[in-house]
């Protein structure tokens, strides 16, 4: 019976995920390319792990180490681009290749420092991602508002996973020192491989347009708003009410800021201080109000109302509808239309007499 190591199965799953994303037109956008490269790197790294620990191919170790030195910086660069109004061109990302070059040179001239270098690299980039996450989901100005919080969660997951990978390397090093590596293979199979699969899923979510289905996470701001905050919030209210920009499903914080001619951070802080919520919640409340009006005064199907309001995902629409109204769209329509239907039924009964 042919032995198929677990890392190869993970590589296959990541490859399927990559192919699915390549078939989506939006993945040709500059801001998505790094995430594509990141998932491809995860898949190749999983193959390398399978060859190394499944078939004991020691010759693969230099390639595995160099690719690991690419994965951590690439993870950081992918999420860092979501914090920019315009993604950096690939020609300006070359600095992130320096760690890989350094590891390659270390393998050639000073192998003893390779392990420590990778540990510091993963932990360092993980901490850098956590630093980005300190400002909350509104920091990801290039992420679509319908999925900003899931992108934010993916960022945090990636940061923790990178740090965890660095720490797992420490455990492997200790195992090699104490037992000669008796448990190293099991640690890698149950640790790094699972981490790669989680990271691949997180990257696909963050770079795509899937909605968040969990808890909101607005950045903290001072309780007392300023006059400038009030002015910005007033302009934003006017933009939402007169232009109905909330109905754009691809709307993000950066687009809103450009329409107002203000920095994205200024808009985010003003919304948080004046309304006590994130920009995503603020925009979704306008969407839900629009949906409520359509549900109460038309017979348009709920799914069509969802799209017209600016939502793409039914799960996100239902979650936000429940948050704002305390009920589901279907129940809201039934409750609002009940008096009208009762009057129509009574009128028909009266006429038919």
């Amino acid at each position: 019976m042919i032995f198929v190591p677990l890392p190869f199965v993970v590589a296959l799953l990541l490859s399927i995920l990559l192919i699915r994303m390549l078939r989506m037109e939006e993945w040709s956008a500059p801001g998505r390319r790094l995430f594509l490269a990141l998932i491809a790197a995860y898949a190749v790294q999983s193959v390398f792990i399978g060859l190394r620990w499944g078939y004991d191919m020691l010759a693969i170790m230099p390639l595995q180490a160099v690719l690991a030195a690419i994965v951590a910086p690439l993870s950081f660069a992918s999420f860092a681009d979501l914090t920019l109004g315009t993604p950096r061109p690939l020609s300006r990302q070359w600095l992130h290749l320096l760690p890989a070059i350094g590891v390659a040179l270390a393998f050639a001239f000073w192998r003893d420092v390779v392990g420590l270098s990778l540990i510091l690299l993963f932990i360092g980039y993980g901490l850098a991602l956590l630093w980005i996450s300190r400002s909350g989901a509104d920091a990801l100005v290039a992420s679509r508002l319908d999925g900003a919080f899931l992108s934010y969660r993916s960022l945090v997951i990636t940061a923790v996973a990178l740090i965890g990978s660095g720490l797992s390397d420490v455990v492997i090093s200790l195992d090699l020192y104490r037992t000669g590596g008796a448990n190293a293979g099991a640690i890698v199979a149950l640790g790094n491989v699972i981490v790669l699969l989680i990271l691949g899923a997180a990257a696909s979510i963050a770079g795509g347009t899937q909605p968040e289905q969990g808890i909101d996470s607005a950045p903290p701001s001072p309780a007392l708003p300023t006059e400038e905050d009030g002015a910005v919030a007033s302009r934003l209210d006017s933009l939402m009410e007169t232009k109905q920009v909330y109905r754009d499903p691809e709307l993000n914080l950066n687009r809103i800021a450009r329409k107002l001619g203000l920095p994205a951070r200024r808009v985010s802080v003003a919304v948080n201080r004046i309304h006590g919520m994130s920009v995503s919640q603020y925009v979704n409340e306008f969407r839900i109000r629009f949906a409520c009006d359509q549900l109460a005064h038309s017979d348009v199907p709920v799914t069509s109302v969802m799209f017209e309001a600016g939502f793409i995902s039914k799960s996100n629409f239902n979650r936000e509808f429940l948050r704002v109204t305390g009920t589901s769209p279907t129940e809201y329509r039934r409750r609002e239309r009940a008096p009208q239907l009762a009057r129509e039924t009574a009128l028909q009964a009266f006429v038919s007499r």
Side-chain angles (χ1 to χ4, degrees):
M1 182 176 181
I2 299 176
F3 169 61
V4 180
L6 176 62
F8 289 171
V9 177
V10 173
L12 177 61
L13 293 175
L14 290 173
S15 298
I16 293 173
L17 181 61
L18 182 63
I19 293 172
R20 286 183 58 191
M21 294 187 301
L22 285 171
R23 295 175 64 182
M24 299 170 61
E25 293 183 359
E26 66 182 47
W27 285 96
S28 62
R32 305 291 189 259
R33 293 171 186 168
L34 286 179
F35 283 104
L36 284 173
L38 182 59
I39 295 173
Y42 290 151
V44 175
Q45 184 71 316
S46 191
V47 171
F48 285 169
I49 292 174
L51 293 175
R52 166 64 181 89
W53 298 103
Y55 297 103
D56 202 25
M57 293 181 60
L58 299 180
I60 207 73
M61 290 179 63
L63 293 177
Q64 183 183 347
V66 171
L67 184 57
I70 293 175
V71 164
L74 188 57
S75 299
F76 174 81
S78 300
F79 283 99
D81 265 7
L82 293 181
T83 66
L84 304 174
T86 303
R88 295 185 185 94
L90 296 180
S91 60
R92 294 183 58 189
Q93 303 281 10
W94 64 271
L95 285 175
H96 293 297
L97 293 176
L98 293 181
I101 295 173
V103 168
L105 292 174
F107 242 103
F109 301 105
W110 194 10
R111 290 197 174 192
D112 291 343
V113 303
V114 172
L116 179 60
S117 298
L118 290 176
I119 291 172
L120 294 177
L121 190 66
F122 271 72
I123 293 177
Y125 274 104
L127 291 174
L129 283 176
L130 285 181
W131 179 257
I132 291 177
S133 71
R134 76 194 190 284
S135 298
D138 282 348
L140 306 180
V141 298
S143 179
R144 206 192 68 213
L145 291 177
D146 195 35
F149 291 108
L150 194 52
S151 296
Y152 173 76
R153 178 181 294 175
S154 298
L155 185 157
V156 175
I157 290 173
T158 300
V160 173
L162 289 179
I163 295 172
S165 293
L167 295 178
S168 71
D169 286 343
V170 174
V171 175
I172 292 172
S173 298
L174 292 174
D175 181 66
L176 289 171
Y177 176 75
R178 293 179 177 179
T179 69
N183 304 306
I187 294 173
V188 172
L190 297 177
N192 287 356
V193 171
I194 295 175
V195 166
L196 283 174
L197 186 58
I198 294 173
L199 286 173
S204 69
I205 291 169
T209 59
Q210 297 185 40
E212 190 269 344
Q213 299 178 20
I215 300 172
D216 205 347
S217 177
S221 292
L224 297 177
T226 65
E227 291 186 8
E228 184 181 3
D229 293 329
V232 172
S234 178
R235 289 177 58 191
L236 181 57
D237 289 343
S238 177
L239 178 68
M240 291 292 166
E241 292 168 359
T242 59
K243 302 294 185 180
Q244 291 190 329
V245 296
Y246 56 84
R247 296 180 64 185
D248 176 8
E250 298 299 324
L251 188 66
N252 58 34
L253 177 55
N254 187 54
R255 289 190 182 185
I256 293 174
R258 283 204 306 265
K259 291 180 182 295
L260 295 175
L262 295 169
R265 178 61 181 168
R266 179 87 280 275
V267 177
S268 172
V269 170
V271 171
N272 187 237
R273 289 176 179 174
I274 297 296
H275 298 288
M277 63 182 68
S278 69
V279 175
S280 177
Q281 289 177 317
Y282 170 82
V283 171
N284 282 340
E285 289 207 356
F286 278 92
R287 290 170 170 171
I288 296 303
R289 290 177 202 167
F290 176 87
C292 286
D293 182 70
Q294 294 295 305
L295 291 171
H297 301 99
S298 75
D299 294 320
V300 177
V302 174
T303 302
S304 298
V305 170
M306 176 191 78
F307 289 126
E308 285 293 318
F311 289 97
I312 292 180
S313 164
K314 186 176 181 180
S315 60
N316 195 40
F317 173 61
N318 289 336
R319 179 181 62 84
E320 288 296 284
F321 200 98
L322 179 63
R323 179 181 68 84
V324 175
T325 67
T327 187
S328 68
T330 303
E331 177 61 24
Y332 180 87
R333 165 172 274 176
R334 187 196 65 77
R335 187 179 65 194
E336 292 296 316
R337 297 294 299 276
Q340 179 181 348
L341 292 176
R343 288 193 298 269
E344 292 176 354
T345 301
L347 179 61
Q348 291 175 358
F350 176 78
V351 172
S352 62
R353 289 178 181 175

